[in-house]
Amino acid sequence: MSVFVLLMAFLSWGDGAADVEVNTVDFDNSVIPILTKAGCNTGACHGAAVGRGGFKLSLYGGDPDFDFRSIVLELEGRRVNLSRPEKSLLVLKPTESIEHGGGTRLEFEGSDADLLTKWIAQGTPRIQKERLKEFHVSPDLHVADRVGATLQLKATAHFTGGAVVDVTRWTVFTPEDAAAVAIDPETAAAELLRRGRHIVVARYLDRVVPIEIIVPLSDAVVDHADAPRQNFIDDEVLQLLSTLRIPVSPQADDLTFLRRVTLDLTGRLPTADAVGQFVNAAEPQQRAHLIDQLLSSAEFNEYWTLQMARLLRIRSHEKDRQGASSYHKWLKNQITNGTPYDEFTREILTATGDTHEVGPANFYRTVGGAREQAEFTSELFMGNRLRCANCHNHPLDRWTQDDYHGLAAIFAKLESGPINRIIKINNRGEVTHPRTGAAAIPRIPGEKFLDRGGDGREAFAAWLTNQDNPYFAKAIVNRLWKSMMGRGLVEPTDDLRATNPATHPALLNQLADDFVRHKYTLRHTLRTIALSAAYGRSPQSLPDNRTDNRFYSHALSRRLQPEVLADAISDIAGIADQYGDETPGTRAVALFDSNIESDALDILGRCARDESCEAADQAAGGLARRLHLFNGALINRRNSDPDSRLAKLIAVGRKPEEIVEEFYRLALSRNPNEKEQAFWSEQVAAATDAEQRQDILEDFVWSLLTCREFGTNH
Amino acid sequence: MVRFRIPLCCNALRAALIVGACLGLMPANATAAEPPITAIAFAPDGESVVVASQAGLSVHDWPDLNRVRNLTTTLVNIHDMAFSPNGDSLAVAGGTPSETGMVQILAWPDCVSSCELHGHSDSVLAVVWKDSSSVATTSLDHEIVVWDVAEQRSVERLNGHSRGVSDLCFLSGHDVWVSSGLDQNLRVWNSESGTVIRTLNNHKNEIHEISLRPAVSGLPMVASVSNDRTVRLWQPTIGRMVRFAQLNATPLAVTWLTDGSLIAVATTDGDVRLIDPDTVEVLATIPAISGWAYSIAVHPSDGSLLVGGRNGQLKRIIPDASKR
């Protein structure tokens, strides 16, 4: 189809009104897409927060009102020349007829420049003949057979008047990885350059949709028909692995599974007795029984209180620890009692009162300011980053400035913030909408405005926890999945949006639906994940799945959280650590205050919870942690302590081989293999006296506590 | 033939209450494609008014606003006009956007071009006569230039604004320039040395225009209007912001009534607001035109206001004398 025919089709769809209206160029639907396609309104150009060269447009044309004002009205209309349209800056600059820092963006006298000129000649009318109703791309999922294959992308817009228009030419297709997919901006033909799963984002007007393109990782077909399946999780995971032609690793052995699931559900290493019993049980349902036993344990309550406390960022403020204590105590009760997550959330969102007594009211002491509260709340409970919509409509999502400042306006009706012990309603509270300069109207994001007066939190909480809410359940099941599997179906976990699709979209939907059907029970979803064959796979990769780090063909190895590692070291060494002025013997995972004094937790990279711990997890560890573990007092001091487990075992006359075996079982949940046993026997045998033998055994314990196998869950 | 439209100030009740008279006129050729009126200048004798837009310059009789002649100009965009103190010249300022800024001097009333002042690299936004032989211009190129008109050369360049300079006024008794900028600042300059005396930074957004209060006792007072929706009053010689009025529409243009008793502000909603400078109370909001009103001027003798803006609209307003 020629460009001319396309252009005419683009210009002429309408509702059959008068000719003059049909022929009038539609600013919203025709002019803005040209600027977007040409890249004029990107963040690197006039879409930047401060604009460029004194000319500012809304990012990707997200705010047509603003753009019209900027183009037509500002500076006495200097950017358009109504007397001599072809002399307008809007035409001269992008065609580089005069100097333009952005270079040539439109072809001189090309169809796009002509359309801009025509619109100016018509007097820069601001009409929107029809509103965009739906935007589709085809294909939205494509599996190619080889690298080098090409794919024609097509975009279609459905307008409110019924018009269906091919808008491929005005759609911007952006691959997430330009080295994997190359797209011709003129023809929208994609060439696939690399194997793997790739995402291309298509943008037209205010809509952005993802296109998923898969190029299998090998040429050989992989059949997973006989792979183990326990529930719907395995169906979805194996289906994608088959598409990608990635083989799966076998199931993990029982002891590996025991260690993994015990750490994931309780944050503790299995005891030596548990290791022995699990090896000897040999019953068909022993994994399921183990999971149920762990889920009903006190250790589960303690550990998952920590997990949720990290999400809620529970911490002391200034010298006030009482609020954090009360919050933590309330949270632990919810976990212990199995309070449904929706109920739990509603109680948090609608809480007010004395934070020393009303635990959930501390939610409103987490951050300072209504806008920060809106950001925190949306990231926590919706898995969405509304913060982008503070300054401009979200460029990659549906959120507008009205949504962001409207949600902030709900929280502005509270007296809150870290220094406020009492959380109470303040009906005069408001936030200023930066675009209008007026008080923002309280709003449920993406849904509806609320009355200006009164407390909007009830309405927000009711909407959020409604079973049809598209964000709430997904946000939490994605985090549960990440906790168990080492990677979220969507990463980052607080950035769920259409243009950052899940690796397994259907699986995320099923997990969310299943969570809602089972009354928002955290334990149910954790159990479902733990029972799946995908969770139970070996961490050992195969030659053809070694590079897989997101499709679950083998188990992913994860660093132990700082609190879990600190407790594990204490447990193995037999010497508890001291945390601030807490009762001696208090475990790190049981601490309610992330600010409590502890060198060990600082060394291990604990999250201070003044910001999201999900981001902190990515940065934790590293060289400093390794060096401290190797050389610092954290392990060495306790290793040589006369009350240590090792000292006691030596004192009661245990043989070195027995000591080695016991430590292996405690630290790694397995017996030493022959090579390891032989090595340590040889080392101990070389000792000439008891003191030297003790030194060697201390070295042995040190090596266990610093090895990668100990410091990870795998 | 002149075609009249129904007056835009059709809110009769409101108009009756707050406006003495409100005469709406739309030039015959005003259509949706008509360029906006961007500058207005009353002839010194008050018998006519010169109106500028991208369509060029036109002279209209007063008070009927009939177009009596079109004037030739080389400027693509016109942003300001000013008659010389002795009334024999009209300075027309503008340029070709993003390329050049210039001033054309027309002999009045012949309207013959007597000279052109070139030297800006972007449009000139304002022109001010310092005396009958020199003008100063402000431009989107961030510069203020003082010109010797007879010599047709620049005599001084004032640099300091970090973005375009939107307007300027000269405080003759104090020998200082006051300029306003898109950088949100007012700057006070020593006109002899060309150095900045002080910067006044209370505005929170771009400043569109400033206007010097006609001679009254006391320190000179300047009104400024900004995208931050405020009208601020300043005593530039001592660096004081006296007070401000917060509006519910963005002010684009400002002038004082001839006796300095009221400030008249044209806004993006097409209304004119009359503000008491002593209390910053908005005494009247007068519907004038539809859409953005870019320019406003006060008649030298009869006290009328003329407002111009979108779609070539022009509107005469007679403020209620009781509001003074």
Side-chain angles (χ1 to χ4, degrees), chain A residues 54 68-69 72-84 87 89 92-93 98-99 121-124 435-437, chain B residues 32-36 38 54-55 75-79 97-99 122-123 125 140 163 182 209 227 229 250 292 294 310:
Chain A
F68 184 82
R69 174 182 170 130
V72 175
L73 301 174
E74 281 188 349
L75 290 172
E76 301 181 343
R78 91 183 202 119
R79 297 184 176 110
V80 289
N81 190 322
L82 299 184
S83 293
R84 281 161 283 185
K87 295 295 183 187
L89 273 185
L92 296 176
K93 283 279 189 178
I98 60 175
E99 184 184 0
Q122 290 175 346
T124 63
R435 198 179 66 237
T436 64
Chain B
E34 198 70 17
T38 52
Q54 287 170 341
L75 290 100
V76 174
N77 275 7
I78 299 169
H79 293 287
S98 213
E99 294 186 83
D122 204 339
S123 296
L125 295 181
L140 280 168
R163 294 183 61 194
L182 304 182
E209 275 194 12
N227 257 356
R229 295 190 177 181
T250 304
W292 287 33
Y294 294 111
R310 282 274 284 165

Side-chain angles (χ1 to χ4, degrees), chain B:
Chain B
M1 177 182 149
V2 174
R3 180 159 55 90
F4 290 88
R5 284 197 173 180
I6 296 170
L8 294 174
C9 48
C10 54
N11 187 336
L13 178 61
R14 191 172 173 216
L17 288 173
I18 61 174
V19 186
C22 181
L23 303 176
L25 300 173
M26 183 76 83
N29 59 350
T31 67
E34 198 70 17
I37 303 298
T38 52
I40 298 169
F42 280 101
D45 61 7
E47 296 295 315
S48 60
V49 61
V50 186
V51 172
S53 74
Q54 287 170 341
L57 290 167
S58 56
V59 182
H60 300 250
D61 63 12
W62 185 260
D64 296 332
L65 293 176
N66 296 315
R67 184 181 305 213
V68 294
R69 63 188 293 201
N70 291 329
L71 306 180
T72 303
T73 177
T74 55
L75 290 100
V76 174
N77 275 7
I78 299 169
H79 293 287
D80 199 15
M81 293 185 291
F83 278 94
S84 60
N86 60 13
D88 66 358
S89 299
L90 174 66
V92 183
T96 303
S98 213
E99 294 186 83
T100 63
M102 61 171 280
V103 172
Q104 189 172 19
I105 306 291
L106 304 175
W108 186 261
D110 317 351
C111 298
V112 175
S113 179
S114 60
C115 73
E116 291 183 354
L117 306 174
H118 295 271
H120 283 290
S121 59
D122 204 339
S123 296
V124 173
L125 295 181
V127 59
V128 174
W129 290 87
K130 184 180 179 188
D131 51 46
S132 289
S133 62
S134 62
V135 297
T137 53
T138 72
S139 166
L140 280 168
D141 67 7
H142 307 189
E143 277 196 325
I144 300 165
V145 180
V146 184
W147 307 82
D148 182 319
V149 175
E151 297 288 329
Q152 297 184 35
R153 65 179 180 84
S154 62
V155 294
E156 193 164 30
R157 289 181 178 270
L158 310 181
N159 287 291
H161 281 286
S162 59
R163 294 183 61 194
V165 191
S166 56
D167 207 354
L168 189 74
C169 62
F170 183 62
L171 311 188
S172 56
H174 299 265
D175 288 332
V176 298
W177 294 105
V178 181
S179 62
S180 62
L182 304 182
D183 60 6
Q184 311 180 14
N185 293 328
L186 269 77
R187 286 175 186 265
V188 183
W189 310 77
N190 181 318
S191 68
E192 294 298 318
S193 64
T195 55
V196 175
I197 299 170
R198 60 179 60 89
T199 299
L200 308 173
N201 60 3
N202 298 67
H203 274 298
K204 307 296 184 214
N205 212 320
E206 298 170 350
I207 305 170
H208 291 298
E209 275 194 12
I210 56 177
S211 181
L212 175 63
R213 189 175 194 175
V216 292
S217 59
L219 293 169
M221 180 172 280
V222 168
S224 61
V225 295
S226 161
N227 257 356
D228 66 12
R229 295 190 177 181
T230 64
V231 180
R232 293 177 193 262
L233 297 172
W234 311 84
Q235 288 171 330
T237 53
I238 59 170
R240 178 181 175 219
M241 192 197 80
V242 183
R243 55 186 74 89
F244 71 93
Q246 181 79 48
L247 306 183
N248 53 15
T250 304
L252 297 171
V254 58
T255 190
W256 294 80
L257 299 197
T258 48
D259 61 0
S261 60
L262 292 176
I263 305 164
V265 175
T267 52
T268 51
D269 57 9
D271 292 351
V272 170
R273 285 165 174 78
L274 298 179
I275 300 169
D276 182 334
D278 297 326
T279 64
V280 291
E281 182 185 355
V282 178
L283 300 178
T285 300
I286 307 165
I289 64 169
S290 172
W292 287 33
Y294 294 111
S295 48
I296 187 167
V298 62
H299 189 272
S301 56
D302 73 10
S304 303
L305 293 163
L306 186 60
V307 182
R310 282 274 284 165
N311 294 340
Q313 296 170 89
L314 270 178
K315 181 74 115 189
R316 181 189 176 204
I317 291 170
I318 305 172
D320 185 345
S322 68
K323 296 297 182 190
R324 302 192 188 194

Side-chain angles (χ1 to χ4, degrees), chain A residues 9-10 13-14 26 28-30 33 128-135 156-167 204-205:
Chain A
F10 188 60
W13 86 79
D26 183 328
D28 294 41
N29 294 332
S30 300
Q128 189 181 17
K129 286 182 277 193
E130 297 184 85
R131 291 189 181 280
L132 180 63
K133 190 169 69 176
E134 292 174 30
F135 173 58
T156 308
H158 298 248
F159 289 87
T160 47
V164 179
V165 182
D166 180 346
V167 292
Y204 175 70
L205 294 181

